[in-house]
Amino acid sequence: MREEPVRQRVSKVRSAARLSVAPMMDWTDRHCRFLHRQFSARTLLYTEMVTAPALVRGGATHLLDHDAREQPVALQLGGSDPGELAEAAALGADAGYPEINLNCGCPSDRVKSGLFGAVLMADPARVAACVSAMAQSVGDRAEITVKCRIGIDDQTPATVLPDFLQQIADAGVSRVTVHARKAWLQGLSPKENRDIPPLDYDLVLRMKDRFPNLHLSVNGGITTLDQAQGFLDRGIDGVMIGRAAYHDPASVLSRADPEIYGQGTAADPDKVVTAMRPYIAAHLEQGGKLHQISRHMLGLFTGRPGARIWRRHLSEGAHRPGAGLEVVDAAQTARTEAEATTAETL
């Protein structure tokens, strides 16, 4: 596949940010992203968070591996040292990522102890130094962006968020994704932090009014394209969807191109399965395991007849020694038969 020019990829990733799939640890790996790309040619995809120390000190550059067919795709980095993040960002740009995103929103204990993620909301000056160093290291090869919360712990979001945005904007950041919840680093688990703190969409919308030159995306609690379009209609620049896009990609992503971008047609999940076959075959030929890909495909038919049979076939068959495409084919056949049987009884 011919490589796109750098400037074209950077421009493409910015226009794609109208809708994006959130970076999710243990979920949005390269196989997941390739699957999601079959549903939408335009939606912006994100990697799992990759820590700068892993790349710079650990030499784990394999974490940057991706398929050019995933583009537009952004790399999310975790870290708090400007020099280390600059090196990591340069590695990301070298690997072909047109956007490098700094994580200032993850509330996990592992992230907190490493002085990065949501804890950085308490130190906007450090974040500004980090993004400035990252931007200098990548030049015009990639755009530096930030994903943050509206605040942490006892902070007052209406005071903290505008100051945070002002400082990173002054440092050169022009695109930010805001998870419209606080992160409580004391007292709530990472899972609880995804649901318990109340959402404050109005604050994010006010930030768009206050910073009209910032490209602002909203994240948190958004599960449908109709909700996403509602935010776009209210003047927000982009919408990021997380778990809903993973668990039910057919509902969230299949209509994204025609409805959010005004181009293309809705994707058929059965055709997506067919499109995945060459990718799966290549992965198996390289020594990979079927379940490494099929685990991301369990929700392809959520809400449709035969969805349970599809999940069961993949769940039970993909882990068996030597499991190959025959497992996917059997699952697809069983699901199709179940759908036909359901139709006959109606």
Side-chain angles (χ1 to χ4, degrees):
M1 183 177 179
R2 187 175 179 182
E3 187 83 0
E4 286 184 306
V6 171
R7 287 189 179 182
Q8 185 175 334
R9 282 190 281 115
V10 173
S11 175
K12 188 175 181 180
V13 78
R14 175 170 270 262
S15 63
R18 186 169 173 83
L19 180 70
S20 58
V21 177
M24 292 176 280
M25 292 297 293
D26 300 320
W27 288 5
T28 52
D29 64 15
R30 59 195 179 98
H31 303 310
C32 172
R33 298 191 303 268
F34 190 89
L35 172 68
H36 286 174
R37 184 57 68 216
Q38 309 316 302
F39 279 103
S40 169
R42 294 164 177 80
T43 301
L44 176 58
L45 306 178
Y46 280 81
T47 69
E48 303 171 86
M49 184 188 68
V50 178
T51 68
L55 295 175
V56 176
R57 289 183 245 158
T61 54
H62 66 280
L63 297 174
L64 301 176
D65 290 348
H66 67 288
D67 192 304
R69 290 171 292 179
E70 295 171 29
Q71 296 288 356
V73 59
L75 168 67
Q76 186 181 70
L77 292 178
S80 60
D81 179 84
E84 203 164 57
L85 279 165
E87 289 187 57
L91 290 171
D94 291 343
Y97 290 96
E99 176 190 337
I100 316 292
N101 177 267
L102 179 60
N103 184 326
C104 297
C106 182
S108 78
D109 293 336
R110 181 173 58 178
V111 169
K112 183 173 59 176
S113 64
L115 192 60
F116 51 86
V119 71
L120 286 175
M121 294 297 299
D123 196 351
R126 178 187 286 269
V127 176
C130 288
V131 295
S132 177
M134 293 164 70
Q136 290 180 31
S137 72
V138 303
D140 61 359
R141 296 181 298 154
E143 183 176 11
I144 303 302
T145 67
V146 170
K147 184 173 187 290
C148 67
R149 293 276 183 142
I150 61 174
I152 57 172
D153 297 332
D154 293 323
Q155 289 181 330
T156 301
T159 301
V160 169
L161 185 58
D163 178 61
F164 182 89
L165 293 177
Q166 186 66 65
Q167 292 201 46
I168 63 174
D170 290 344
V173 170
S174 60
R175 185 150 58 87
V176 184
T177 298
V178 182
H179 186 147
R181 285 187 175 95
K182 266 190 180 185
W184 285 92
L185 304 181
Q186 305 292 331
L188 292 182
S189 70
K191 182 178 184 300
E192 290 170 330
N193 263 300
R194 291 197 297 262
D195 300 303
I196 293 178
L199 289 157
D200 192 347
Y201 295 134
D202 286 342
L203 176 59
V204 181
L205 291 165
R206 291 201 303 274
M207 292 304 99
K208 180 57 191 176
D209 290 337
R210 185 162 176 171
F211 299 94
N213 294 326
L214 272 183
H215 182 293
L216 279 182
S217 292
V218 63
N219 171 231
I222 304 164
T223 61
T224 69
L225 285 187
D226 287 343
Q227 285 178 290
Q229 188 60 58
F231 282 106
L232 296 172
D233 291 343
R234 294 177 69 183
I236 207 74
D237 298 297
V239 178
M240 177 179 280
I241 301 180
R243 287 167 290 161
Y246 184 88
H247 290 303
D248 190 3
S251 293
V252 175
L253 297 178
S254 65
R255 296 179 291 107
D257 289 359
E259 294 190 11
I260 300 297
Y261 300 93
Q263 298 176 336
T265 57
D268 181 335
D270 279 305
K271 292 182 179 179
V272 167
V273 175
T274 300
M276 288 297 294
R277 293 184 89 261
Y279 181 83
I280 294 171
H283 178 67
L284 296 174
E285 288 175 8
Q286 295 165 6
K289 305 297 183 183
L290 177 61
H291 68 83
Q292 294 170 322
I293 298 176
S294 65
R295 72 186 184 96
H296 301 301
M297 299 172 67
L298 297 177
L300 257 59
F301 299 97
T302 296
R304 289 180 55 172
R308 183 177 300 177
I309 291 174
W310 164 263
R311 290 194 302 269
R312 188 177 72 240
H313 270 270
L314 287 188
S315 298
E316 294 176 355
H319 289 273
R320 292 171 183 162
L325 282 169
E326 73 283 349
V327 174
V328 178
D329 293 340
Q332 192 171 21
T333 298
R335 192 209 67 78
T336 302
E337 291 175 350
E339 185 175 48
T341 300
T342 301
E344 289 174 1
T345 60
L346 294 179

